[in-house]
Every structure is written in C-alpha cells, then in structure tokens.
C-alpha cells in the first residue's frame, strides 16, 4: 500500500469513528505532513483520494472539510 493510500485510510477511519464529524475542518496539508512524516504531495494525494470517495470536500482558501453524511 502506498503512503498516500495508508494516510487516506487513517483519515477515513477517523471520519468513520466520528473523530472528524461532518462539516469539521480537517488538519492542514502542512500539519498532516509534519504529523505523519510524509511530503506535502503525499498528503495532497491522500486528500484527492478521499475527495474521489466523496468523504471530504475542498473549500477554496479554507482547506478540506468532512463531507455531510448521506441519509441512509
């Protein structure tokens, strides 16, 4: 598993556990880069993967936020 996929899985798990609730702002790219000891591009790829999975949404000039949960 690639580093970005591993990071995306960690973030996905945190979202599913409720550590990052719907609408919550995710840590900045730089903060996650430092926290996990990976490059900024690795964090950006992880965020892109989560965005494709519709788990997070980008807000220009504000960062990334947890997507609203869909009614089941």
């Amino acid at each position: 598993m690639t580093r970005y996929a591993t990071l995306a899985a960690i973030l996905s798990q945190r979202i599913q556990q409720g550590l990052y609730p719907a609408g919550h702002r995710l840590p900045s790219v730089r903060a996650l880069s430092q926290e996990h000891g990976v490059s900024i591009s690795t964090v950006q790829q992880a965020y892109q993967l989560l965005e494709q999975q519709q788990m997070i949404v980008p807000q220009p000039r504000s960062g990334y936020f947890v997507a609203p949960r869909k009614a089941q």
Side-chain angles (χ1 to χ4, degrees):
M1 187 179 266
T2 61
R3 286 184 183 178
Y4 77 88
T6 301
L7 181 57
I10 291 168
L11 294 171
S12 173
Q13 185 177 30
R14 290 179 182 175
I15 291 169
Q16 291 172 356
Q17 291 174 342
L19 296 175
Y20 297 141
H24 186 271
R25 184 174 187 265
L26 294 170
S28 71
V29 172
R30 287 184 182 162
L32 274 181
S33 172
Q34 291 175 348
E35 179 183 339
H36 292 277
V38 296
S39 70
I40 288 174
S41 64
T42 298
V43 176
Q44 289 172 329
Q45 286 180 303
Y47 276 168
Q48 285 178 348
L49 183 59
L50 291 171
E51 189 179 349
Q52 290 170 357
Q53 295 171 355
Q54 298 180 344
M55 294 192 77
I56 65 172
V57 292
Q59 296 290 329
R61 298 183 178 259
S62 296
Y64 289 88
F65 293 79
V66 177
R69 295 186 185 220
K70 297 174 184 163
Q72 295 186 8

